[in-house]
Amino acid sequence: MKSYYIYTYGCQMNVHESEKLAGILESKGYEHAECVESADVVVFNTCCIRESAEQKILGNIGAIKPIKKKRKDMIVAVCGCMSQQKDMAANLRKKFPFIDIVFGANNVEFFGEYLDTYLEQKKFLNKVENDKQYIENASGVPFVRDNPLYAYVNIMYGCNNFCTYCIVPYVRGREKSRAPNEIYAEVKNLLNLGYKVITLLGQNVNSYGLDGSTGGVNFAKLLETIANFDGEFELRFMTSHPKDLSDEVISVIAKNDKISKSLHLPVQAGSNKILKAMNRSYTKEDYLLLVNKIRAAMPNITLSTDIIVGFPGESDEDYAETVDLIKKVRYHNAFIFMYSKRRGTIAEKMDNQVPLTVKRERIHNLLEIQHKISEELFTEMVNSTQRVLIEEEDLKYYRGKAQSGKVVLIEKSQKMLVGKFYDIKILSYEKGNLIGRI
Ligand code: SAH
Ligand code: SF4
Ligand code: F3S
């Protein structure tokens, strides 16, 4: 039997698209290879959000060269956001002449056809298409999901926000919402198959339906409809842009037990000058008001965020605003990045770039502050009751996750079932894990 190996980089979108690639390959009779050396088809599903991501990918593609030398029949394909960039397919091929197929983030669905064409012609294929809109499941091939409990469901593609640092709108195209009935059918099917946590995916889920293509179904309505489906499950979504998280959505989350009380709300920066230069369309004050509103409706919600340090023009005072903001909000979790210049974005041309040494200093400092806050908040969870999905069982503990995504180790005082939710009393917080008992 022929086999495949997929390298996946980047966000949940890419993770989910790799599930599609696996589905296509398995429908063609390929099986998952134990290691890349033995695979007949190797796919790199790439990301280009930061330069560090690209460097890592290029290194990993380079490492295929000696393997391919020994195995001339191995097919190497590169797809995803990195290959979607202008002239990238040709550049990749020049750098790595052993690449056989390149295609973009928006035509994953057609990988099967590209593979057939390649096998027929045995000639390098460049299938990156710039004006193509992502098409979901045109082939009808199912996704191959490797986690039996957690499932991703796309609700929209692309992004219209053009934050000035970000390459996503250039490589993923304009926003397009998926038809509500298709989403409902997919979620129902996943629930029937036993999936317990459904995560709705989009770069900016709050603008679902605003393109007028969903017959008036907005994000709040979509969430509410799914939350009313039968069965025991948890509904999550990402990512929410603070500028259009409506009161209606907040109230739907608050009212529905099945919707996770854990929200990822990327703030990016605390300085109004920097937020404006980033084109985020809200101020620090707007954001803090929004957080207050969310917490007034759901006092126990856990919040997480994304932050960029060292955006062009970020002064010490601007950076201090970010520090102030994270101290005020107190996130359970924050993903903190150093600004990375991206080709073709507006910020690339800004002339007040921050030196790497300063960026390093700021990220180091901010990570330390955030770490302390996270530790305090998780310690405060001791004595609370958390709803936990049991994922596995080892000799000493059941292991599961709370809604915040935090691992919970549960003493084996009584029989529990993998794939079920339990209310767990938190007894302690040790070495990054919550320890609890049913
Ligand atoms: N659509 C999502 C996030 C997409 S990218 C949103 O708007 O929240 C994930 C994160 O990567 C962003 O939130 C941002 O913090 C970070 N990011 C994006 N472009 C970046 C860049 N050029 N340099 C550093 N971090 C970046
Ligand atoms: Fe990038 Fe901004 Fe769109 Fe998120 S909302 S994908 S950060 S442009
Ligand atoms: Fe990366 Fe593309 Fe996601 S650039 S972060 S894989 S949308």
Side-chain angles (χ1 to χ4, degrees), residues 1-4 19-32 40-41 43 75 101 108-120 139-142 144:
M1 207 169 178
K2 299 229 169 208
S3 66
Y4 69 91
E19 295 176 334
K20 164 59 52 168
L21 294 167
I24 291 171
L25 285 159
E26 294 198 7
S27 76
K28 292 185 143 321
Y30 288 80
E31 64 176 8
H32 184 260
D40 298 289
V41 175
V43 187
I75 299 171
I101 309 172
V108 173
E109 192 59 38
F110 303 100
F111 179 47
E113 290 171 27
Y114 305 153
L115 197 57
D116 290 344
T117 311
Y118 180 81
L119 286 167
E120 219 176 270
S139 61
V141 171
V144 170

Side-chain angles (χ1 to χ4, degrees), residues 159 161-163 165-166 168-169 203 241 280:
C159 183
N161 287 323
F162 289 95
C163 303
Y165 49 81
C166 187
V168 172
Q203 293 298 349
H241 194 304
R280 290 291 290 182

Side-chain angles (χ1 to χ4, degrees), residues 98-249:
F98 56 85
I99 293 175
D100 302 304
I101 309 172
V102 182
F103 57 106
N106 296 327
N107 45 350
V108 173
E109 192 59 38
F110 303 100
F111 179 47
E113 290 171 27
Y114 305 153
L115 197 57
D116 290 344
T117 311
Y118 180 81
L119 286 167
E120 219 176 270
Q121 305 177 344
K122 296 277 164 54
K123 269 201 336 240
F124 172 64
L125 272 189
N126 174 357
K127 286 291 182 182
V128 177
E129 295 182 53
N130 284 323
D131 46 4
K132 197 153 197 137
Q133 177 74 53
Y134 188 95
I135 302 173
E136 176 99 15
N137 227 13
S139 61
V141 171
F143 292 87
V144 170
R145 294 176 159 93
D146 36 70
N147 190 306
L149 299 176
Y150 295 82
Y152 292 129
V153 174
N154 277 325
I155 64 164
M156 53 192 303
Y157 312 99
C159 183
N160 289 353
N161 287 323
F162 289 95
C163 303
T164 55
Y165 49 81
C166 187
I167 198 163
V168 172
Y170 302 90
V171 291
R172 291 269 172 176
R174 294 296 65 74
E175 276 174 15
K176 171 91 180 66
S177 299
R178 204 177 155 201
N181 287 338
E182 254 181 58
I183 299 170
Y184 300 150
E186 190 175 337
V187 173
K188 280 189 178 152
N189 182 40
L190 290 165
L191 295 174
N192 283 335
L193 290 169
Y195 288 91
K196 296 294 172 193
V197 179
I198 306 291
T199 304
L200 307 178
L201 291 182
Q203 293 298 349
N204 177 19
V205 290
N206 297 315
S207 53
Y208 177 79
L210 299 185
D211 61 358
S213 68
T214 62
V217 177
N218 63 10
F219 185 54
K221 186 84 192 79
L222 185 84
L223 270 183
E224 189 160 44
T225 305
I226 299 174
N228 281 318
F229 287 175
D230 289 339
E232 201 186 32
F233 66 96
E234 192 183 306
L235 183 60
R236 299 184 185 170
F237 53 87
M238 66 189 324
T239 300
S240 259
H241 194 304
K243 79 174 159 61
D244 31 35
L245 179 63
S246 67
D247 290 355
E248 195 189 359
V249 169

Side-chain angles (χ1 to χ4, degrees), residues 46-58:
T46 63
C47 168
C48 56
I49 197 81
R50 284 170 289 275
E51 197 187 339
S52 53
E54 288 195 312
Q55 290 308 331
K56 182 169 147 198
I57 295 164
L58 294 175

Side-chain angles (χ1 to χ4, degrees), residues 338-371:
M338 283 192 284
Y339 167 72
S340 169
K341 225 184 200 185
R342 300 287 68 204
R343 189 153 55 101
T345 60
I346 294 166
E348 181 200 13
K349 289 168 197 89
M350 295 181 179
D351 52 13
N352 38 10
Q353 301 283 331
V354 173
L356 185 60
T357 47
V358 177
K359 286 192 222 173
R360 284 217 175 106
E361 213 173 282
R362 287 181 188 164
I363 194 170
H364 183 77
N365 182 248
L366 203 60
L367 283 168
E368 210 165 283
I369 297 168
Q370 177 56 40
H371 180 71

